Amino acid sequence: MPTATDDQPHHSHSEEPYPPLPARETLDAAGDILRALAAPVRIAIVLQLRESRRCVHELVDALAVPQPLVSQHLRILKSAGVVAGDRSGREVLYRLVDHHLAHIVVDAVAHAGEDQP
């Protein structure tokens, strides 16, 4: 026979409130970063840049992707604040703005690899 408490919502064992959420602007910025990282070529670019600065032709060679496509992906990463370009003579050397971003990508790749047979 049901008791009066069966109709009440069940709570977790811990009655602590949820942790406070960051400001909406922070959540929006995090979403922008994750969207910028959400392409295999851009993930590969971040993995390349975590080791050292690279120019476009080095990324083209490492990724075996056409130069216009690498440049397009770099523009997306740059506009999201993931990478920055520094001119060195006639070339632009790209680098990660923040190495936290490399950790996000490395962790995502490692997690995806765990599901493989």
Side-chain angles (χ1 to χ4, degrees), residues 55-57 86-94:
C55 62
V56 172
H57 76 82
D86 303 312
R87 187 158 292 282
S88 175
R90 296 179 63 197
E91 295 184 321
V92 176
L93 292 175
Y94 289 91

Side-chain angles (χ1 to χ4, degrees), residues 47-99:
L47 291 173
Q48 287 293 308
L49 296 180
R50 75 188 168 124
E51 300 300 326
S52 66
R53 296 170 186 240
R54 303 281 168 94
C55 62
V56 172
H57 76 82
E58 290 173 317
L59 292 169
V60 167
D61 292 346
L63 304 175
V65 175
Q67 183 272 323
L69 191 58
V70 170
S71 294
Q72 176 186 350
H73 284 294
L74 283 168
R75 277 193 298 279
I76 292 166
L77 291 170
K78 192 173 180 183
S79 69
V82 174
V83 302
D86 303 312
R87 187 158 292 282
S88 175
R90 296 179 63 197
E91 295 184 321
V92 176
L93 292 175
Y94 289 91
R95 62 178 169 80
L96 290 179
V97 170
D98 182 339
H99 279 276

Side-chain angles (χ1 to χ4, degrees), residues 11-52:
H11 295 285
S12 66
H13 294 287
S14 140
E15 293 295 326
E16 296 175 20
Y18 293 109
L21 289 174
R24 178 60 190 235
E25 295 78 19
T26 302
L27 294 174
D28 289 345
D32 291 344
I33 290 167
L34 292 173
R35 276 188 292 282
L37 295 173
V41 171
R42 294 194 292 268
I43 290 169
I45 289 171
V46 171
L47 291 173
Q48 287 293 308
L49 296 180
R50 75 188 168 124
E51 300 300 326
S52 66

